[in-house]
Amino acid sequence: MTPIIPTANNPASATKLRFARRFLRSLSKMSKTRPSCPSSICVKKRSEGLKMAAYWCMARSVGSRRAWSRAILMKLSRGRQQHPHHHNFSMKRKIRRPTWLGKTKKKQKKKRNITCSSSSYDDEDEEEIMKRQTEKLREVVPGGKLMDICSLLEETAHFVTCLADQVHVMQTIAHRYS
Amino acid sequence: MSSRRSRSRQSSGSRNITDDQIHDLVSKLQQLLPEIRNTHSDKVSAAKVLQETCNYIRSLHREVDDLSERLSELLATTDTAQAAIIRNLLMQ
């Protein structure tokens, strides 16, 4: 497993290191405040809390430089305001799950009703396909619905990099714990 | 977005600039995708890149779900002292 240490040539890893620090801090906070109980309900609640904490830590590490991180911070802080006592994001029922976390299957089915009547591969079909794919991308990228196509593609690139870093850090931590 | 497209259709010059920008951004995105990063950019359409990006983002979200579950189970059985040791190791 490659270590999470930034090099002078790779400034993007600074975000990864910041995320690792924040996430580890949240992990130790969670293990201190909640007594460890092996029951499946506790584990599930804690895993939801960990997941939200991971996204929160990543968004905080990036800061407000990016539209996607601002969108995440706004959505998660709205959830926190509804439940001020649960600092570790443990309440899941009433917090509306952000759409970019994946519950968009119904919406996607509606969008697919735009059928291409002609079977020939011409420019208009390509545009329709691009439009459809762009709409799908807007749904998965946080804050994507408000952006123009250029910003959307830039934000997506940065979002994908940070998400991959987040997964790598979490894998490293899980590997070291086990 | 549709208004920009109709504007760009009227003057082909400005449409080329917008298409070039989009092409550059799409090829930049393609480099980040593990499956199609080695394929030459001309052979992969922009729509395909966007589709692969959506799929990749969803798979990363699933990974985060699985890892959160794993970490939650590990937290149930691990010491907080051990967590502090691991944190120090990673900070060095």
Side-chain angles (χ1 to χ4, degrees):
Chain A
M1 261 266 157
T2 53
I4 318 163
I5 299 167
T7 58
N9 301 331
N10 196 356
S13 300
T15 307
K16 200 174 178 183
L17 187 68
R18 275 199 299 272
F19 165 70
R21 280 195 181 128
R22 280 180 205 272
F23 189 57
L24 283 166
R25 240 181 275 153
S26 317
L27 275 179
S28 47
K29 242 192 231 179
M30 278 184 113
S31 58
K32 277 178 202 167
T33 53
R34 286 184 164 276
S36 58
C37 59
S39 76
S40 57
I41 300 167
C42 277
V43 167
K44 205 166 185 182
K45 272 190 185 167
R46 206 180 306 127
S47 86
E48 282 290 325
L50 270 177
K51 189 168 44 168
M52 294 297 143
Y55 288 115
W56 173 266
C57 292
M58 182 44 94
R60 280 301 301 268
S61 307
V62 170
S64 47
R65 291 174 284 163
R66 289 279 166 179
W68 68 263
S69 58
R70 288 196 295 270
I72 293 181
L73 291 172
M74 236 169 29
K75 282 183 177 157
L76 289 178
S77 60
R78 254 184 245 148
R80 271 181 113 177
Q81 277 167 17
Q82 286 174 15
H83 303 279
H85 302 294
H86 296 270
H87 297 296
N88 289 327
F89 306 103
S90 51
M91 276 296 295
K92 289 304 146 278
R93 257 188 225 163
K94 289 185 183 171
I95 296 174
R96 215 169 8 138
R97 198 183 161 110
T99 52
W100 45 266
L101 273 185
K103 281 193 175 172
T104 53
K105 280 185 183 161
K106 282 183 184 169
K107 275 189 187 168
Q108 285 175 4
K109 275 184 184 160
K110 273 186 190 166
K111 296 277 181 190
R112 276 192 195 137
N113 284 333
I114 307 166
T115 51
C116 301
S117 52
S118 68
S119 56
S120 62
Y121 196 62
D122 57 13
D123 284 341
E124 208 170 323
D125 278 351
E126 270 191 61
E127 277 213 25
E128 280 296 323
I129 295 170
M130 266 302 277
K131 230 187 200 177
R132 220 184 308 145
Q133 290 303 333
T134 316
E135 284 304 312
K136 283 190 188 173
L137 196 62
R138 285 181 195 278
E139 283 166 14
V140 282
V141 175
K145 296 190 177 171
L146 306 167
M147 299 176 205
D148 62 299
I149 182 72
C150 283
S151 317
L152 177 68
L153 292 173
E154 273 190 51
E155 293 285 322
T156 307
H158 193 257
F159 179 58
V160 163
T161 319
C162 290
L163 204 53
D165 286 346
Q166 180 180 328
V167 165
H168 182 237
V169 169
M170 290 173 82
Q171 278 170 345
T172 312
I173 294 172
H175 181 72
R176 299 235 183 165
Y177 258 112
S178 57
Chain B
M1 196 171 130
S2 57
S3 61
R4 189 168 59 152
R5 277 225 180 103
S6 56
R7 251 188 291 133
S8 61
R9 269 194 188 132
Q10 287 161 16
S11 56
S12 59
S14 59
R15 189 189 183 179
N16 287 337
I17 293 168
T18 314
D19 280 355
D20 281 343
Q21 278 179 341
I22 293 177
H23 183 76
D24 284 342
L25 290 167
V26 167
S27 39
K28 210 169 95 173
L29 202 53
Q30 189 186 335
Q31 295 306 311
L32 300 170
L33 303 176
E35 279 128 29
I36 55 175
R37 123 181 36 177
N38 298 322
T39 319
H40 197 266
S41 58
D42 289 347
K43 293 181 188 164
V44 184
S45 71
K48 178 80 177 162
V49 172
L50 293 189
Q51 187 186 0
E52 290 300 320
T53 309
C54 289
N55 293 338
Y56 186 49
I57 291 175
R58 284 193 204 112
S59 71
L60 287 173
H61 283 315
R62 278 196 296 270
E63 283 268 349
V64 172
D65 282 352
D66 292 338
L67 286 165
S68 315
E69 271 187 45
R70 240 176 93 186
L71 283 171
S72 164
E73 281 164 15
L74 289 168
L75 262 186
T77 52
T78 314
D79 254 1
T80 51
Q82 208 173 347
I85 292 168
I86 290 166
R87 191 171 148 192
N88 289 332
L89 278 171
L90 282 167
M91 290 312 113
Q92 285 162 9

